[in-house]
Amino acid sequence: MRSAAEEKAARALLDWYRAMGVDEAVGEVPFDSFAAPQPKPAPRRAPEVKMAAGPPRAAPRAARPISTRGIGAEISTLTELEALVAGFEGCSLRRTAKSLCFARGSASARIMLIGEAPGRDEDLQGKPFVGRAGQLLDRMLAAIGLAEDHVYITNTVYWRPPGNRTPTPEEIEACAPFLARQIELLSPSVLVLLGGAAAKTILGVSEGIMRLRGKWLTYPSAGRDLPALATLHPAYLLRNPAAKRYAWRDLLLLKAALDSEIRGQ
Ligand code: URA
């Protein structure tokens, strides 16, 4: 017998699959993509090759999360911060973009989601995540019971890079102090980092998204360690539907954390 909670979770998953266009089962036998992975046979060891001693290896780089660097210290609301960003001339992306895409969602949300960069639809509407990837993101959030007014969504850069290219490190660096202040001012309970670019930028690490996703990390903000969860970018999921199962696991992790926070209140 399934519990009511298991049944609700299963229904939410089916709703999401339906929203993604999956409307029939194709296999003869059900496939449980959540089953624990079977241990792989141990790889056969390659014969050891003795190398001449090379240069000493660099020590692993310490994480350098983004910080405000004092920017926006004089202001106390997100509306003021948006005005500050609107007048900021230090990011070259603003010269080619039509609009500033500062944020969408609720300024009192407990969940803050951060993506990479606005695309064409976002540039036209002046809001993050309103195109196809954004619509998928909304469906993913709805599958765990979150609507737009439960979340606050932004990006690592506030303007669309020309032709949707990847933002350069300089463009990201220019926007980073504002983003750090945006996190401080919103003061969410949880950060959700959408894709490798956002996760690496905010946490200041170099690991890829497959290593970073699916576990609770922390981002230091305003003197506390803010829980941060990295997951796959919805645009990646549109291109690689088979990866949806990882995103679903991450969403369940987020839901469990939110539920336990509610229970603890
Ligand atoms: N992809 C992003 O990372 N952000 C958006 O706002 C839209 C697509």
Side-chain angles (χ1 to χ4, degrees), residues 115-119 122 128-129 133 155 233:
E116 182 177 346
E122 289 72 25
F129 281 101
N155 282 303
H233 193 290

Side-chain angles (χ1 to χ4, degrees), residues 16 20 136 140 232-244 247:
W16 187 40
M20 291 289 294
L136 172 58
M140 289 162 67
L232 301 172
H233 193 290
Y236 176 82
L237 297 177
L238 287 172
R239 293 190 304 270
N240 301 280
K244 281 182 306 184

Side-chain angles (χ1 to χ4, degrees), residues 151-229:
V151 296
Y152 179 92
I153 309 177
T154 189
N155 282 303
T156 60
V157 294
Y158 298 107
W159 296 273
R160 178 197 185 196
N164 292 353
R165 65 161 168 74
T166 304
T168 64
E170 292 73 26
E171 290 156 356
I172 292 176
E173 179 76 11
C175 296
F178 296 98
L179 179 58
R181 184 71 181 129
Q182 199 173 6
I183 299 172
E184 279 187 1
L185 289 172
L186 183 74
S187 188
S189 322
V190 170
L191 278 186
V192 179
L193 310 174
L194 300 167
K200 289 187 207 178
T201 299
I202 284 130
L203 304 173
V205 295
S206 54
E207 284 100 328
I209 186 65
M210 283 318 238
R211 274 188 181 273
L212 293 170
R213 62 152 288 276
K215 57 186 176 221
W216 286 106
L217 306 163
T218 55
Y219 165 74
S221 179
R224 70 176 172 132
D225 275 342
L226 189 52
L229 181 67

